[in-house]
Amino acid sequence: MRLSQLFTKTSKTAPADETSKNAMLLIQAGFVHKEMAGVYAYLPLGLKVVENIKQIVREEMASVDSNELIMTSLQRRETWEKTGRWSPEVVDIWFKTKLQDDTELGLAWSHEEPIVEMLRPFVHSYKDLPLSLYQFQTKLRNELRAKSGIMRGREFVMKDMYSFHASAEDLAAYYDKTIEAYKRVYDRLGIGADTYVTFASGGAFTKFSHEFQTICDAGEDVIYLHREKNIAINEEVIDDAIKELGIQRDELEQVKTAEVGNIFNFGASKTEEMGLKFTAEDGTMSQIHMGSYGIGVTRVMGVIAEKLSDERGLVWPEAVAPARVYLARLGTDTEVVKSADELYDRLTKSGVGVLYDDRDEVRPGEKFADADLMGIPYRIVISNKTVTSNSYEVKHRTAAEAEHLNQTQLDHLLGVEA
RNA sequence: CGGGGAGUGGCGCAGUCUGGUAGCGCACGCGGUUUGGGACCGCGGGGUCGCAGGUUCGAAUCCUGUCUCCCCGACCA
């Protein structure tokens, strides 16, 4: 991507009406645009980050044999009435609307009920189970108060996965497998070391559900942590959990966290309410066991922005950065332009994402400042100096000094095949 | 929904108390000098002060209502 073609601009100043770090940086760097409180548009650079996160999640969901689909944002009232969750007393974050003939509709805040309904024509036999499906969907929730930038919006992207099983044992095994897949997701996103599988309030079937909580000052949750035993407990279930686990409260450290994922064992309660059953091997009608697994994609993006940024701006891990390389061309001398254009083409063809700062009118200092603000992992400078010395000036976003590499060394650094 | 703060060119702000029809920096356009950590000089375009009423000869400024944004709280399947 050439910066001369990018319509967004960075700003010298952070927006005055934002106080959360993720919103300030993402807006200042031109990654997102706030449409209204809790509602953000994802601009080209921001969308790259979202897509990179989604790709990692996709790969890990594939590792637990889940298939991707996409359900609808408009939902039927009747579907939700089956479990009583159409009622505003039960679910207070509904956005609702009407067709022109006055038929009431709901705007998707979750797809738990609709997916059970959707499976009715497909799941009849034990041979159809187990089954796991997931999607990336924009969830719409009429929150009383949006806050913390993109970390708590009224409109946000969520990966939601649902699994269906012939037995509680099979669901339990899959649930455990999913926990491992989720851990790999957060590791790959660069926040694994600070992310804990946390006991949280359960449901109809199990004593606890599990949340994935990442240590983050901008988070809304408080958990109690035992680092050596790797135990984490949401404060909302602290008393029960201590009893259950046989540990003392004073062994635990209290930390502020953001919930980046949640997995939930419904048992057979949801499918029973919805009337979805299957015929077992012995010919009897049996209950389907269901699990629900979420990852807040855009919230994770906010958490990464919060945790990994510094005084100069964003600092993306390579796996999610909008590009791996920020190629800064200094000046417009023919040889410099030629060298920079060639490197851009070569890296791009090798599959290295490059943000090419080919702007003629922008001075060096501004290019460096933008590279830092945007948080691109590697900055490569092409100038008269580098053309003369036949080298590339390379600096990692987190490094203090640049180093000069020849082409072989650069290719090695970026993993480019010669 | 309760409490607090704030709405003035694209962005950041001053002006409001002590009414006299709008100013600064950045950004933008043109010309010139510059060119390795957000350059400099000159010229120029762009807002009627969130919105609606009211008071007044006259309102960004005073009064009333209303909308929006941020923060704290409540809420969070």
Side-chain angles (χ1 to χ4, degrees):
Chain A
M1 189 188 300
R2 286 172 181 264
L3 279 196
S4 62
Q5 302 302 314
L6 184 67
F7 84 95
T8 57
K9 292 176 194 292
T10 58
S11 171
K12 264 187 176 178
T13 49
D17 66 350
E18 300 281 358
T19 54
S20 75
K21 190 160 45 156
N22 73 84
M24 285 197 285
L25 289 172
L26 291 169
I27 291 172
Q28 197 182 342
F31 282 55
V32 304
H33 169 77
K34 178 157 69 177
E35 181 65 27
M36 63 181 92
V39 180
Y40 293 83
Y42 288 80
L43 307 177
L45 296 175
L47 180 61
K48 276 272 188 196
V49 175
V50 171
E51 291 301 322
N52 289 340
I53 294 171
K54 283 164 71 172
Q55 188 52 34
I56 287 171
V57 174
R58 273 198 181 98
E59 288 168 19
E60 296 302 338
M61 294 309 101
S63 80
V64 292
D65 298 314
S66 195
N67 290 135
E68 184 171 356
L69 50 66
I70 184 157
M71 292 193 280
T72 65
S73 293
L74 298 177
Q75 300 181 333
R76 287 157 49 84
R77 168 186 173 150
E78 292 78 4
T79 299
W80 289 91
E81 283 182 330
K82 290 180 181 175
T83 59
R85 293 212 288 176
W86 180 257
S87 160
E89 284 78 46
V90 180
V91 174
D92 64 358
I93 45 129
W94 268 118
F95 282 110
K96 292 178 181 175
T97 187
K98 282 180 180 174
L99 295 179
Q100 296 204 29
D101 68 2
D102 276 351
T103 303
E104 278 193 283
L105 300 178
L107 273 49
W109 62 277
S110 162
H111 288 79
E112 283 162 354
E113 274 78 347
I115 198 166
V116 174
E117 195 66 31
M118 193 194 77
L119 288 180
R120 214 178 287 286
F122 301 109
V123 175
H124 311 285
S125 155
Y126 71 94
K127 294 173 188 168
D128 300 322
L129 298 171
L131 175 65
S132 178
L133 300 167
Y134 76 98
Q135 65 174 343
F136 295 98
Q137 254 279 2
T138 298
K139 304 292 187 200
L140 303 165
R141 297 187 183 184
N142 200 350
E143 301 279 0
L144 240 42
R145 181 184 157 210
K147 56 186 281 196
S148 308
I150 65 169
M151 288 175 63
R152 178 165 174 106
R154 298 195 165 94
E155 176 178 327
F156 58 94
V157 177
M158 185 173 180
K159 186 280 307 185
D160 44 325
M161 181 171 86
Y162 307 95
S163 75
F164 302 87
H165 305 265
S167 69
E169 295 71 31
D170 195 58
L171 170 56
Y174 189 80
Y175 189 93
D176 289 343
K177 219 165 87 174
T178 302
I179 289 179
E180 296 308 313
Y182 268 44
K183 285 182 185 168
R184 291 194 294 274
V185 168
Y186 299 115
D187 281 343
R188 293 177 62 184
L189 291 174
I191 55 174
D194 282 339
T195 300
Y196 290 85
V197 183
T198 306
F199 291 97
S201 56
F205 209 70
T206 51
K207 188 153 182 90
F208 301 109
S209 71
H210 292 93
E211 293 170 345
F212 289 79
Q213 295 276 4
T214 304
I215 298 173
C216 178
D217 288 336
E220 302 183 291
D221 291 326
V222 171
I223 67 169
Y224 288 84
L225 195 59
H226 195 304
R227 289 184 196 253
E228 292 94 88
K229 292 183 182 169
N230 201 27
I231 291 172
I233 304 162
N234 193 309
E235 71 173 346
E236 65 194 18
V237 296
I238 185 68
D239 293 329
D240 283 353
I242 281 176
K243 259 182 259 167
E244 192 84 7
L245 300 168
I247 50 177
Q248 301 301 312
R249 196 175 183 136
D250 55 18
E251 298 176 72
L252 302 171
E253 174 189 354
Q254 197 182 13
V255 290
K256 197 109 179 278
T257 55
E259 182 186 338
V260 292
N262 179 317
I263 66 178
F264 207 86
N265 183 331
F266 276 112
S269 59
K270 179 74 65 190
T271 48
E272 197 166 354
E273 283 179 295
M274 302 286 294
L276 184 71
K277 292 179 187 300
F278 73 102
T279 307
E281 217 166 342
D282 62 7
T284 58
M285 290 300 283
S286 298
Q287 293 174 331
I288 294 178
H289 292 258
M290 176 179 177
S292 170
Y293 318 80
I295 292 178
V297 172
T298 44
R299 176 180 285 180
V300 165
M301 177 175 167
V303 169
I304 294 171
E306 290 278 337
K307 286 182 71 71
L308 303 181
S309 52
D310 64 18
E311 65 290 339
R312 295 203 308 274
L314 298 157
V315 182
W316 298 109
E318 283 195 45
V320 303
R324 282 179 71 206
V325 169
Y326 190 100
L327 176 58
R329 191 196 74 202
L330 306 191
T332 54
D333 291 347
T334 312
E335 288 304 309
V336 171
V337 173
K338 185 165 168 264
S339 171
D341 283 354
E342 279 173 7
L343 183 61
Y344 176 60
D345 288 341
R346 197 167 67 77
L347 291 179
T348 302
K349 281 179 184 140
S350 304
V352 177
V354 180
L355 210 50
Y356 180 17
D357 195 343
D358 61 339
R359 296 174 294 179
D360 290 342
E361 71 286 5
V362 176
R363 297 160 59 84
E366 193 172 341
K367 294 193 175 191
F368 298 153
D370 279 348
D372 289 343
L373 178 60
M374 291 178 186
I376 312 301
Y378 292 100
R379 187 189 80 195
I380 302 178
V381 173
I382 301 291
S383 67
N384 279 316
K385 287 185 203 171
T386 67
V387 169
T388 304
S389 64
N390 194 28
S391 68
Y392 298 109
E393 178 185 316
V394 183
K395 189 182 99 58
H396 194 268
R397 175 64 176 78
T398 58
E401 299 292 335
E403 50 185 346
H404 293 266
L405 305 180
N406 63 32
Q407 183 169 319
T408 309
Q409 292 169 316
L410 178 66
D411 286 355
H412 181 73
L413 180 70
L414 297 175
V416 173
E417 302 287 330

